[in-house]
Amino acid sequence: MESSMDMSVQSMTMAFFTGTDTPLYSESWTPKTAGQYAGTCIFLIFLAITLRAIFTAKFLLDAKALESALKRKYVVVAGQKSMEEQALSDASSMTGILTTNGIQENVRIIQAPVSHTQPWRFSVDLPRALLMTVAAGVGYLLMLAVMTFNVGYFLSVLAGAFVGELAFGRFNHGAMGM
């Protein structure tokens, strides 16, 4: 028993290496030729690009949900102040003069709350949760590929992250992600 444990510890490489027959995710996914190894590396590149695409999709869905929430129409209830009356009595608003093409108008400037959190909505939060679950799964698969310590797999993940950021990074204004 002890000798088999010693053998498994000795066969576990803790430094980067350049072998082309490293299993990925299972023993049945072990490249046996240079072409299969290249195909595995290309798969990892596309998987890393997919992770960046998922984060971009999440950011765009969040932006769309916020835009939709800001455009939402509200009903004035009898006996309550209208939005115009609330704006006039709001201490954080101020008056000013707006000049456009020589025409001057008196306006009231109202600042929207910056840290307003939208209420929970099934149509917004379920897709967000699903996307983040898929992103976590893809991220963990990429992490496992890097943890093989195979240089080709590692560089493929980095190349995919680079290409994914190159392709989708401009759409992620202030988005947080991997």
Side-chain angles (χ1 to χ4, degrees):
M1 178 80 164
E2 198 171 302
S3 64
S4 66
M5 284 180 57
D6 288 341
M7 287 178 60
S8 66
V9 170
Q10 288 173 356
S11 68
M12 185 184 271
T13 306
M14 297 305 287
F16 282 102
F17 64 96
T18 57
T20 58
D21 59 347
T22 307
L24 182 67
Y25 307 134
S26 73
E27 287 297 324
S28 62
W29 191 341
T30 303
K32 295 183 182 19
T33 65
Q36 289 176 343
Y37 181 73
T40 299
C41 290
I42 291 169
F43 167 78
L44 289 171
I45 291 171
F46 281 115
L47 195 62
I49 292 170
T50 301
L51 183 63
R52 293 305 306 155
I54 291 169
F55 281 119
T56 300
K58 182 192 174 298
F59 175 77
L60 294 175
L61 285 176
D62 285 345
K64 182 181 172 188
L66 181 61
E67 181 182 342
S68 174
L70 294 175
K71 288 182 178 180
R72 195 167 288 124
K73 304 291 185 205
Y74 296 96
V75 177
V76 177
V77 178
Q80 291 194 0
K81 289 184 182 180
S82 68
M83 288 301 285
E84 185 177 335
E85 291 170 339
Q86 287 178 8
L88 291 173
S89 65
D90 187 3
S92 66
S93 68
M94 57 185 170
T95 58
I97 297 176
L98 179 66
T99 306
T100 308
N101 297 331
I103 301 171
Q104 292 184 350
E105 291 186 48
N106 287 332
V107 296
R108 180 162 289 276
I109 302 164
I110 303 171
Q111 186 175 10
V114 177
S115 64
H116 180 71
T117 303
Q118 296 296 318
W120 192 91
R121 296 178 59 96
F122 189 76
S123 62
V124 173
D125 293 307
L126 180 66
R128 178 186 297 135
L130 289 173
L131 270 177
M132 286 312 298
T133 302
V134 171
V138 171
Y140 286 133
L141 287 174
L142 290 169
M143 177 192 65
L144 288 172
V146 169
M147 287 176 56
T148 64
F149 287 100
N150 183 293
V151 173
Y153 294 174
F154 176 69
L155 292 177
S156 296
V157 170
L158 289 180
F162 176 78
V163 172
E165 186 61 27
L166 198 62
F168 301 112
R170 62 192 163 142
F171 300 109
N172 292 315
H173 304 291
M176 294 182 59
M178 288 178 68

